[in-house]
Every structure is written in structure tokens, then in C-alpha cells.
Amino acid sequence: MWEVGIIEFFLYLTLAMGLISPILGIRNDKSDWPVVMGIVGIGTFFVVSLLSLYASFQNILIFYNGLVIQDSFTSLILLGSSIASIIYIIAVGKDGLKWSSRPALYSLIPLVLFGLFFLSGATDALMILASWLLVSVASYVFVSLPDGKESKEASIRYIMVGMIGTLILAFWVASFAISPRPDSSSFLLTSLIPTTKSGFSIVGLTVLLLIAALGFKVGLFPFHWWLPSVYGRGDGRGISFVAGIIKLGFIAIITRSIVIMASSINGISPIASYAALLIAFLSVASMVYGNIAALTSRDFQVILSYSSMAQVGYIFAAIAAAAYFSGNSEISLLRLALFAVALQSIAYGIAKTPLFAFVGKTKRELSDLHGLLSSNPAAAISASILLFSLLGIPPLLGFWGKLYLFLSASGYSIWLVLLALINSGISAVYYIIASREILSKGENKITVGKGYTAALIISALALIIIGLYAPFLLKSIVNIYY
């Protein structure tokens, strides 16, 4: 297919921009070329995601002899990552050149996006591990990039968590290798088909290890204990990229892996119901814990951190449904669930990226943000729109994301939907409190910065425009790697 060659060309351009950027920055400390290379790298990856989405409407795209396969689902996730990356570079601008870590920021962005392409589309357990390591190492560095003691401490904590997650993933690869599968001679992701008691034990361990490893990365309960000390304490400008962009790649690969491993061979999978039940339980636990913890804080960055955990809980409700539908060969409902995961992930990334960056640039406490409407009306209104999207207010994109999440989950369990709706109602309390402070008039002089204000405005407009078009996007999910 001609599309594959063109996509690979732009993908390698993205990699080249990431490798060239530090060379130009080292040769001249005052040069703006690292910023230019970073922007070009983001632009080439945006082209990659657009071409991948366009081409995947007709057929899945096979790269590197099947080690990486992009379908409509993963292509939507990649498009969301590229849009969020554009928003991120608009916000941060040249700030990264002022940090002692210069020009690392503008090199890492293209390199991470390059890694996300392989991570989200991986079809082989060893490819998942390799791309995991590339993206993870870059994310550890990302957290530490802004100057300040808190950034370094958060990075060290994140490295410790990452080491645990990587070890668990390595154990998953080993467990997957000995799991009963149609083809046990390779590490290719396939259905798990236990027929004996010991086979069920190995398969159960395999599924649990994957959820645990990726649960650490996305902040899923009970693997979330690092979240307040990393997302909540690091500089928001570093956390922004990790929480709003890198996380999308991990959501994509855990969704694909669960769907494939739970898929049926002859009509009904023996593990789909158990996997769906486990994921549904962790989904509800994440919603409840994240929302309650966010209610107890008046630190805006901590609120954003815990609300990220709750948002992951909503997304995992659809992943639970996808696992069930995959195991019972309900393809139409499976596509609805995957569309819901992709749409909500995009809404999450577009909203969280500028909000974390905004907090990193300004102040953390809600009381310190009181009066933002007086000093910067555009930033205040835009930030509130992003919060309302996370809450799920129509016609914003976050509303459609949650609507499709709940619709897909209702095909699996009505109780899961009711619990998700209750938790969404609970989250309204802290979202409304935060927006009330931001939209209040006062005498606080809050300097946001032109780039951060522009990022908030663009994100708000994107959520409105895409939200208006979202109901017509469902027909886009026509091909999935399954």
C-alpha cells in the first residue's frame, strides 16, 4: 500500500527532528533552532496520524512485517496525541530554552511521538516491551525538565514507579509466552484459550500482570499511589505532556491487548467475562477514589491529578465492555466501545494538556487563582470550558465521550453505568468549585502568558468544534485489528 511508505517517510522525519534538535542547541546556546525542530517534528507526526486515520478507514495498515498495525482506533488515539502536542508546544513556546535542561524538551517531544506510534500499534509482546521502554525513559526525563527541586523529586519517584511497572511487564511477557494460545511459537498477540485448570491459572496471571503494569502508567486503582507525589507535585509544564499525551499511548495498547487476548475463537471466550469483571471493578474503584480524593483538596494541580484518575476509571468502563464484547463476538458493540475509548481519550488529552501547563506557569492553590477573570478573561473562560468538558457538559467533546462510554458499557452491565453516572455527578462538585474560583472577579494579579492563554483558547475551541461534529464520527470506526 502506498500509504504505508508515505507514513513511514514522515515518521522517520519525526525521528530525525528529535535527533537533530539537541545538536543544533548544543552548538549555539542562544539558537531558536531546537524550537523549530520540535515544531517541525510535531507537524510531521500530525501528518502521520492524519494519513494513518484516512488510510485505515478502508483497511488496517501493516508495518514492519506485522509487528506494528494501525487501525481506525489506534489512528484516532495518535491523532489526539498529535493535537495535544500542538497545544503543548503553543503553551510552552520558548520556555524550555530558559531551563538548564535546554534543548532537551524540543528533542524529546518528537522522540516520544515516534515511540507512541510503535507502542499504540504494537502486535507483539516484545515490541510492546521495547516501545514501552522508549516512551517510559523519555517520560521520566520529561518530568525533570523544568528547573526546581519539586521537578527532580517527582522525576525520581516516577522512575521508581516506572521500574516496578517495567518489571511487571517483563513478567507479563514471560507469562504470555507460556500461556495457552493458538500459536505459542511467537510473541504475537493472540487469543488466550485455556482448557485446563493450570491453563486458566496462567492466563489469569497473564491478564493480571498486564493490567498491573499498564495500571501503574495510567494511574489505575490500586496502582495509583504515586500519582499525588508525581502529577500533583511536579512542575505542571513537565507533567502536562506526560499526563495529557503520553498516557494516551498506554491507553491504546492496554485496550488493544485486552481485546485481542479476550477475543473468541469459536464464538465465546472462556476468559472474557472474568477479564471484563476485573477491569470493571478497577474502573469503579478508580472513579470513586479519584473523585473523593479530588473533593478533599483545594490545590488545583492535585485536583487535576486525582481527576485524571477518575477519568481513567470512566475510560476503563468502556474497556471492560470491549473485553466482554470481544469474547462474545459482538463486533458492532465492540466498535462502539473502542470509539468511546478513543473519543474520551482525545477529549481528556486536549483538556488536561493545557490545564496542567497553565497551573505550572501560574499558581496551584484555587484561592490564588481567584480573580483570574479580571486579569485574563480569555484564559479564565477557556479554562472553565476545559473543566466543563471533563465534567461532560454538552455540546463539548467530553460530553460525547462520556455518552458513548456509558452507551457501550450499558451493553455489558447497567450497574457499571449507574456507578459511573453517580461518580460523574460527584465530580461536578470540584469542577464547579474550581471554575467558580477561576471565573470570579478579584484583585489578584495573575500572569498567565500569551502562549498559555493561546493554548487554553485553542483547546476550548477544539473541544467545542469537535464536540459539534462528534456525533457524526461514529461511522469512522469501520476497521479494527482483531
Side-chain angles (χ1 to χ4, degrees), residues 426-444:
I426 294 172
S427 69
V429 177
Y430 58 80
Y431 283 131
I432 291 173
I433 290 174
S435 62
R436 182 189 64 191
E437 292 292 331
I438 291 172
L439 291 174
S440 297
K441 293 184 178 181
E443 298 180 356
N444 285 345

Side-chain angles (χ1 to χ4, degrees), residues 37-57:
M37 294 297 101
I39 293 172
V40 173
I42 294 172
T44 55
F45 190 78
F46 181 69
V47 174
V48 167
S49 62
L50 277 179
L51 287 175
S52 178
L53 182 60
Y54 171 77
S56 62
F57 285 164

Side-chain angles (χ1 to χ4, degrees), residues 124-162:
D124 181 274
L126 294 179
M127 176 59 76
I128 293 174
L129 180 60
S131 54
W132 164 293
L133 290 171
L134 171 62
V135 174
S136 294
V137 171
S139 66
Y140 307 149
V141 179
F142 231 105
V143 175
S144 69
L145 288 180
D147 293 326
K149 181 180 177 181
E150 290 183 343
S151 294
K152 313 311 178 198
E153 291 176 349
S155 178
I156 292 172
R157 296 188 188 101
Y158 198 37
I159 290 172
M160 294 173 62
V161 172

Side-chain angles (χ1 to χ4, degrees), residues 36-203:
V36 175
M37 294 297 101
I39 293 172
V40 173
I42 294 172
T44 55
F45 190 78
F46 181 69
V47 174
V48 167
S49 62
L50 277 179
L51 287 175
S52 178
L53 182 60
Y54 171 77
S56 62
F57 285 164
Q58 303 301 322
N59 297 289
I60 60 174
L61 302 177
I62 302 175
F63 300 86
Y64 312 108
N65 295 320
L67 290 177
V68 176
I69 294 180
Q70 300 294 350
D71 53 31
S72 297
F73 168 70
T74 56
S75 297
L76 273 174
I77 295 285
L78 291 177
L79 181 60
S81 299
S82 62
I83 293 172
S85 297
I86 293 171
I87 292 168
Y88 179 79
I89 199 68
I90 290 172
V92 176
K94 296 181 181 180
D95 281 4
L97 295 177
K98 302 174 185 177
W99 302 337
S100 59
S101 58
R102 73 176 310 276
L105 173 71
Y106 308 101
S107 173
L108 283 174
I109 294 175
L111 291 177
V112 168
L113 295 176
F114 177 81
L116 287 181
F117 180 88
F118 290 87
L119 179 64
S120 63
T123 62
D124 181 274
L126 294 179
M127 176 59 76
I128 293 174
L129 180 60
S131 54
W132 164 293
L133 290 171
L134 171 62
V135 174
S136 294
V137 171
S139 66
Y140 307 149
V141 179
F142 231 105
V143 175
S144 69
L145 288 180
D147 293 326
K149 181 180 177 181
E150 290 183 343
S151 294
K152 313 311 178 198
E153 291 176 349
S155 178
I156 292 172
R157 296 188 188 101
Y158 198 37
I159 290 172
M160 294 173 62
V161 172
M163 290 174 61
I164 297 172
T166 302
L167 285 173
I168 295 174
L169 188 70
F171 282 121
W172 168 74
V173 173
S175 177
F176 179 78
I178 61 174
S179 296
R181 294 173 289 135
D183 181 11
S184 58
S185 62
S186 69
F187 287 90
L188 186 69
L189 287 177
T190 55
S191 304
L192 301 180
I193 46 173
T195 56
T196 63
K197 186 175 181 180
S198 60
F200 270 99
S201 299
I202 294 172
V203 166

Side-chain angles (χ1 to χ4, degrees), residues 128-402:
I128 293 174
L129 180 60
S131 54
W132 164 293
L133 290 171
L134 171 62
V135 174
S136 294
V137 171
S139 66
Y140 307 149
V141 179
F142 231 105
V143 175
S144 69
L145 288 180
D147 293 326
K149 181 180 177 181
E150 290 183 343
S151 294
K152 313 311 178 198
E153 291 176 349
S155 178
I156 292 172
R157 296 188 188 101
Y158 198 37
I159 290 172
M160 294 173 62
V161 172
M163 290 174 61
I164 297 172
T166 302
L167 285 173
I168 295 174
L169 188 70
F171 282 121
W172 168 74
V173 173
S175 177
F176 179 78
I178 61 174
S179 296
R181 294 173 289 135
D183 181 11
S184 58
S185 62
S186 69
F187 287 90
L188 186 69
L189 287 177
T190 55
S191 304
L192 301 180
I193 46 173
T195 56
T196 63
K197 186 175 181 180
S198 60
F200 270 99
S201 299
I202 294 172
V203 166
L205 178 63
T206 301
V207 173
L208 186 61
L209 287 172
L210 178 66
I211 293 173
L214 289 163
F216 272 109
K217 285 297 182 182
V218 300
L220 184 71
F221 182 93
F223 315 106
H224 67 282
W225 47 267
W226 56 272
L227 198 126
S229 59
V230 177
Y231 281 15
R233 297 302 171 200
D235 190 302
R237 291 168 294 180
I239 299 299
S240 170
F241 195 85
V242 176
I245 298 168
I246 293 179
K247 183 183 285 188
L248 301 191
F250 290 107
I251 291 174
I253 192 57
I254 192 171
T255 305
R256 164 175 281 185
S257 300
I258 291 295
V259 165
I260 293 175
M261 291 194 300
S263 60
S264 60
I265 298 294
N266 297 312
I268 298 178
S269 167
I271 69 163
S273 295
Y274 299 105
L277 182 61
L278 173 61
I279 296 170
F281 172 78
L282 297 179
S283 165
V284 173
S286 299
M287 295 179 211
V288 173
Y289 189 96
N291 283 324
I292 292 177
L295 280 173
T296 62
S297 178
R298 289 299 178 268
D299 184 315
F300 193 30
Q301 187 165 328
V302 172
I303 291 174
L304 290 175
S305 302
Y306 280 120
S307 74
S308 296
M309 182 179 177
Q311 293 291 328
V312 166
Y314 302 133
I315 292 172
F316 267 72
I319 296 176
Y324 179 79
F325 299 146
S326 176
N328 290 273
S329 300
E330 299 182 26
I331 305 302
S332 297
L333 289 174
L334 171 60
R335 287 175 173 163
L336 175 62
L338 292 177
F339 178 72
V341 171
L343 201 62
Q344 183 63 12
S345 296
I346 294 171
Y348 166 87
I350 293 176
K352 287 287 184 176
T353 299
L355 283 173
F356 269 113
F358 160 72
V359 175
K361 181 65 175 179
T362 56
K363 300 178 180 179
R364 302 168 57 102
E365 293 292 332
L366 285 178
S367 58
D368 294 329
L369 295 174
H370 182 88
L372 179 62
L373 184 65
S374 298
S375 57
N376 194 328
I381 295 172
S382 298
S384 296
I385 290 174
L386 301 186
L387 292 174
F388 292 148
S389 179
L390 291 169
L391 175 57
I393 301 297
L396 302 172
L397 181 58
F399 165 77
W400 296 107
K402 282 191 175 181

